[in-house]
Amino acid sequence: MTQKPLNPDSPLLQPVTAGALHAANRVWMAPLTRNRADADGTPNDLSVEYYRQRAGAGVVISEGSQPSAVGQGYPNTAGLVTDANEAGWARVAEAVHADGGVLVAQLMHVGRIAHTSATGGATPVSSTAVAAQGEIFTTSGQQPFSAPRALETDELPGVAAEYADAARRARRAGVDGVELHAANGYLLHQFLADGVNDRTDAYGGSAENRARFVVEVARATADAIGADRVGIRISPGNPFNDITESDVSVYETLVTQLADLGLAYVHLLAPADDPVVGKIRAVWPGTLVLNTGFGVDSERDDAERAVADGLADAVAVGRPFLANPDLVVRWTEGADLNEPDPDTFYGGGAEGYTDYPTLR
Ligand SMILES: Cc1cc2nc3c(=O)[nH]c(=O)nc-3n(C[C@H](O)[C@H](O)[C@H](O)COP(=O)(O)O)c2cc1C
């Protein structure tokens, strides 16, 4: 449906700063796993083209990328583990920058949302030794999640260091910052969620304890590349990937401590009318990015209202960006949008990846 053009003074079209990140507009690209990196996790020519096409986002947040081999859950996800991975990201960063964009790499350690065929045979690690219920996509079709082992207390600093190392690689590659994926049931969420985290050490039990590992990862990453280049993504209460959470106060506990660290931004997955948005806003003085989190489709006018009403400073948009490389132009002009094709979301080649048409 064609819409009216946006006013030039629309809040969506105004620049916004998040720490050291300077975004030309407030329509950011949400992280989207596309399973098209090389088998060793290196972004390739197609990845370079895909991100270059989407450089018009205020900030391009990359696909979830593993900070370690055991942190990989799915085939052909990108990584920030090896020199080759770093070189691949350098090409992506160069392409995004050449078109005036800002690039953030999302660091996604999947924890127990994994299969040993993707971890190189290693037993997945988590806050718990209890396997997630359900199945995961592998190169040989859907398989039950592999049983994880619970990380030992004295292993945790090493895992935090993996995030820091991956962030250093991102920066060496010219990527502008990183986003810690603490949402959607992956490793950091497995620590936060009281229905999953069954630890009896200082990292389980109270909200303070469940937030502890995430804070330590954020601190290690901030020490490595500067807090002003580190964002974090959270999804309070999101049951995706076998998460159960009865105590979402952990997010206020967490974000209060992240505010002390001075991270660049918090990226919150929640519908705009969810009371959690105001609760997080109240404890987070910095830049807040909002994504609907699958609850409702991301629509331009809702996004504009969320920023105009001060619920958030920017919005992150997933599937509309996937299908519309020039989404900011289309939203600005009120043009029709391409429809995303779910059959080509995960894996494959150029089809459904780099061949969505632009207006011009
Ligand atoms: C194909 C696909 C891949 C996704 N991959 C990731 C990911 O790697 N990391 C992440 O945090 N969220 C991921 N998400 C969630 C999106 O970032 C976003 O929260 C979700 O699509 C809802 O926003 P939308 O309605 O604007 O698409 C993915 C979603 C889709 C559709």
Side-chain angles (χ1 to χ4, degrees), residues 108-283:
M108 166 167 142
H109 187 313
V110 296
R112 67 177 188 158
I113 301 304
H115 190 265
T116 48
S117 61
T119 58
T123 302
V125 295
S126 180
S127 60
T128 175
V130 177
Q133 293 295 307
E135 295 190 329
I136 185 162
F137 178 76
T138 74
T139 45
S140 43
Q142 293 291 122
Q143 302 278 346
F145 291 113
S146 299
R149 64 180 185 83
L151 283 160
E152 302 290 343
T153 310
D154 63 6
E155 289 181 284
L156 295 175
V159 179
E162 291 170 355
Y163 282 89
D165 287 344
R168 280 193 200 93
R169 283 196 181 277
R171 288 293 294 141
R172 279 203 299 268
V175 176
D176 300 288
V178 300
E179 175 176 289
L180 303 172
H181 194 352
N184 296 354
Y186 296 106
L187 180 67
L188 300 182
H189 201 177
Q190 291 157 28
F191 274 82
L192 294 169
D194 58 340
V196 175
N197 181 337
D198 55 2
R199 306 180 71 87
T200 53
D201 61 6
Y203 296 86
S206 66
E208 186 83 19
N209 281 0
R210 282 179 283 122
R212 190 181 311 279
F213 181 53
V214 185
V215 174
E216 289 178 1
V217 168
R219 187 176 296 121
T221 310
D223 285 347
I225 66 165
D228 58 355
R229 294 186 182 274
V230 181
I232 189 165
R233 192 172 217 217
I234 54 174
S235 59
N238 179 357
F240 187 63
N241 279 329
D242 199 28
I243 287 289
T244 49
E245 273 182 306
S246 60
D247 173 22
V248 291
S249 75
V250 68
Y251 292 96
E252 287 158 85
T253 308
L254 171 69
V255 169
T256 302
Q257 294 181 64
L258 298 180
D260 292 341
L261 286 180
L263 293 199
Y265 67 87
V266 168
H267 184 174
L268 174 63
L269 276 76
D273 59 359
D274 190 315
V276 78
V277 179
K279 287 184 183 167
I280 296 298
R281 194 69 156 156
V283 291

Side-chain angles (χ1 to χ4, degrees), residues 29-35 62-65 106 108 179 181 183-184 186 233 267 269 291-299 316-322 345-346:
M29 179 173 159
L32 296 165
T33 292
R34 305 303 310 276
N35 307 86
S62 83
E63 64 207 88
S65 303
Q106 189 188 54
M108 166 167 142
E179 175 176 289
H181 194 352
N184 296 354
Y186 296 106
R233 192 172 217 217
H267 184 174
L269 276 76
N291 175 253
T292 59
F294 284 117
V296 290
D297 286 345
S298 293
E299 302 277 0
V317 183
R319 286 160 295 182
F321 246 122
L322 185 158
F345 278 1
Y346 304 107

Side-chain angles (χ1 to χ4, degrees), residues 1-24:
M1 185 188 70
T2 306
Q3 296 177 302
K4 278 201 248 167
L6 286 178
N7 267 323
D9 61 359
S10 164
L12 290 181
L13 302 180
Q14 308 313 310
V16 63
T17 295
L21 309 173
H22 299 285

